[in-house]
């Protein structure tokens, strides 16, 4: 088997995952796209390991480590997304960013407007 077939498939998988990371707004779909990108890397590792005929099978061993890291990443990522969804009510990335920016802006604007003359002088110093 030629090396070009799995390499082209890995490039297509990686590009699909990259598009998913850049274009998706749902945090779970972004995590799935990252997993797709990691699987493309795994496919390349195994393909080059077979092509080089490595006696130690280093590509396959590294693939197992990558799969273990990906499993831990998706577990922690889903836990974070679930906690954010419970607290904010949405997992939409744009809405989460907008909420964070408006809350910070409201805090700084609200503190300046409600502060007394002594507090404004302390803040200026």
């Amino acid at each position: 088997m030629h090396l070009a077939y799995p390499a082209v498939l890995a490039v297509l998988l990686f590009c699909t995952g990259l598009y998913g990371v850049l274009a998706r707004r749902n945090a779970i779909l972004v995590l799935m796209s990252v997993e797709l990108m990691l699987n493309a890397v795994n496919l390349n590792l195994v393909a080059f390991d077979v092509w080089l005929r490595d006696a130690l099978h280093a590509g396959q061993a590294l693939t197992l480590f990558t799969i273990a890291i990906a499993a831990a990443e998706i577990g922690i990522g889903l836990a974070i997304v679930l906690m954010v969804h419970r607290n904010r009510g949405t997992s939409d990335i744009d809405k989460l960013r907008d909420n964070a920016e408006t809350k910070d802006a409201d805090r700084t604007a609200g503190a300046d407007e409600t502060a007394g003359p002594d507090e404004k002088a302390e803040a200026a110093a």
Side-chain angles (χ1 to χ4, degrees):
M1 177 167 70
H2 295 286
L3 182 62
Y5 298 134
V8 168
L9 179 62
V11 166
L12 291 174
L13 283 173
F14 192 85
C15 289
T16 304
L18 185 65
Y19 173 74
V21 167
L22 296 176
R24 298 292 177 185
R25 300 295 177 232
N26 192 348
I28 294 176
L29 292 177
V30 170
L31 287 173
M32 289 174 59
S33 298
V34 169
E35 290 295 321
L36 197 62
M37 292 167 58
L38 286 173
N39 285 330
V41 170
N42 288 339
L43 181 62
N44 266 336
L45 285 171
V46 171
F48 277 98
D49 181 52
V50 170
W51 183 62
L52 294 173
R53 294 190 174 111
D54 186 19
L56 296 175
H57 299 292
Q60 293 177 18
L62 190 57
T63 298
L64 289 175
F65 286 120
T66 307
I67 290 171
I69 289 171
E73 175 256 336
I74 200 69
I76 292 171
L78 281 175
I80 291 170
V81 168
L82 286 175
M83 287 302 295
V84 166
H85 189 276
R86 278 188 199 161
N87 291 335
R88 303 270 176 103
T90 184
S91 62
D92 188 11
I93 295 173
D94 287 336
K95 289 181 183 175
L96 294 176
R97 184 181 56 212
D98 292 341
N99 286 343
E101 289 173 357
T102 57
K103 285 185 179 181
D104 290 339
D106 289 343
R107 279 190 208 146
T108 57
D112 291 340
E113 293 171 1
T114 59
D118 296 330
E119 293 172 350
K120 286 182 182 178
E122 290 176 8

